[in-house]
Amino acid sequence: GEDVEQSLFLSVREGDSSVINCTYTDSSSTYLYWYKQEPGAGLQLLTYIFSNMDMKQDQRLTVLLNKKDKHLSLRIADTQTGDSAIYFCAEKTGGTSYGKLTFGQGTILTVHP
Amino acid sequence: DAGVIQSPRHEVTEMGQEVTLRCKPISGHDYLFWYRQTMMRGLELLIYFNNNVPIDDSGMPEDRFSAKMPNASFSTLKIQPSEPRDSAVYFCASSYVRGLYTGELFFGEGSRLTVL
């Protein structure tokens, strides 16, 4: 089955790095995603990684994928107060259910000045 | 493009009343999704459509919930009768099967429903 788990809270100081972790259960996942939700808004795609990749870097964001352990992480370098939001990990599995993403519970990131 | 448009943004109603939430997907998108977000259960997929046809409605909680997509530019999610436990933020999202085929979802801003 499909299940995605994340820790619920993370608090960091401005300028530090943030690392948000996620585990998933479906080994047939084709894509894994990180979405960001700011207060009062919908989810917005931050970045994604294809399952045959180990790492992807995009400016301040680094995604690491460990397929053996089914572990995904998002590192935000030089975290700013504007990065305070809820971050969702999601997986898309293959097969006939195209487009069906399974989301984690979300990690609330709080950045202190 | 204006993005995914949802209405109303906020709805407060009394138990037993009918609630209709509306969504206009991004033009040209083939897929439309309805999600529900609560503190207790996180983000749950209720139903999704492909080319206006419902593909998977296994997440619809009860018969009180129904969704329609009469054309490519409009969808509704209806709750009748509503109950306090239906209070949540309901998100509509759309996507497309072209290009890089990543399955990225584009979310609306959500409809916050409060049932008293």
Side-chain angles (χ1 to χ4, degrees):
Chain A
E2 305 150 356
D3 195 17
V4 179
E5 293 193 358
Q6 305 175 233
S7 53
L8 291 182
F9 301 99
L10 177 65
S11 180
V12 301
R13 200 180 302 273
E14 190 175 19
D16 289 349
S17 292
S18 307
V19 179
I20 303 171
N21 295 300
C22 168
T23 57
Y24 59 98
T25 56
D26 196 325
S27 57
S28 67
S29 294
T30 52
Y31 285 93
L32 293 135
Y33 305 82
W34 284 104
Y35 278 82
K36 176 183 180 181
Q37 183 183 26
E38 296 184 353
L43 281 70
Q44 189 171 22
L45 181 69
L46 266 184
T47 187
Y48 64 90
I49 188 167
F50 189 48
S51 57
N52 68 353
M53 298 169 65
D54 298 324
M55 185 181 92
K56 180 179 180 182
Q57 189 144 6
D58 184 1
Q59 298 182 348
R60 292 191 298 122
L61 305 178
T62 303
V63 179
L64 295 177
L65 175 60
N66 181 329
K67 282 196 72 174
K68 175 176 169 288
D69 295 336
K70 298 189 184 71
H71 182 266
L72 183 74
S73 68
L74 173 70
R75 178 177 181 269
I76 307 172
D78 187 25
T79 314
Q80 303 298 307
T81 54
D83 295 323
S84 293
I86 305 176
Y87 291 80
F88 292 89
C89 169
E91 64 172 347
K92 180 171 90 73
T93 55
T96 58
S97 295
Y98 172 79
K100 182 177 178 179
L101 271 64
T102 301
F103 286 85
Q105 289 277 76
T107 299
I108 300 173
L109 173 64
T110 304
V111 182
H112 299 284
Chain B
D1 202 319
V4 175
I5 299 172
Q6 292 187 244
S7 64
R9 290 294 314 276
H10 301 274
E11 172 105 4
V12 180
T13 191
E14 292 189 343
M15 184 173 65
Q17 297 298 305
E18 177 179 293
V19 173
T20 300
L21 307 177
R22 297 172 178 80
C23 175
K24 179 177 166 33
I26 293 173
S27 176
H29 281 191
D30 308 295
Y31 289 81
L32 184 139
F33 305 81
W34 282 101
Y35 280 86
R36 178 172 68 175
Q37 185 180 37
T38 60
M39 288 293 291
M40 292 298 293
R41 300 174 69 92
L43 203 62
E44 303 171 277
L45 176 65
L46 300 177
I47 185 171
Y48 80 94
F49 297 82
N50 176 213
N51 291 324
N52 313 338
V53 176
I55 302 300
D56 183 353
D57 65 354
S58 59
M60 295 286 262
E62 299 169 35
D63 291 345
R64 298 183 297 105
F65 285 70
S66 62
K68 293 181 181 179
M69 191 165 186
N71 57 61
S73 58
F74 184 66
S75 176
T76 59
L77 178 68
K78 188 174 290 188
I79 309 171
Q80 166 64 19
S82 58
E83 296 182 4
R85 61 195 167 117
D86 302 330
S87 297
V89 181
Y90 290 82
F91 286 104
C92 176
S94 67
S95 188
Y96 61 99
V97 186
R98 286 193 295 272
L100 198 55
Y101 204 77
T102 61
E104 172 185 354
L105 299 189
F106 295 79
F107 281 80
E109 293 186 321
S111 293
R112 180 175 294 277
L113 173 65
T114 303
V115 183
L116 302 174

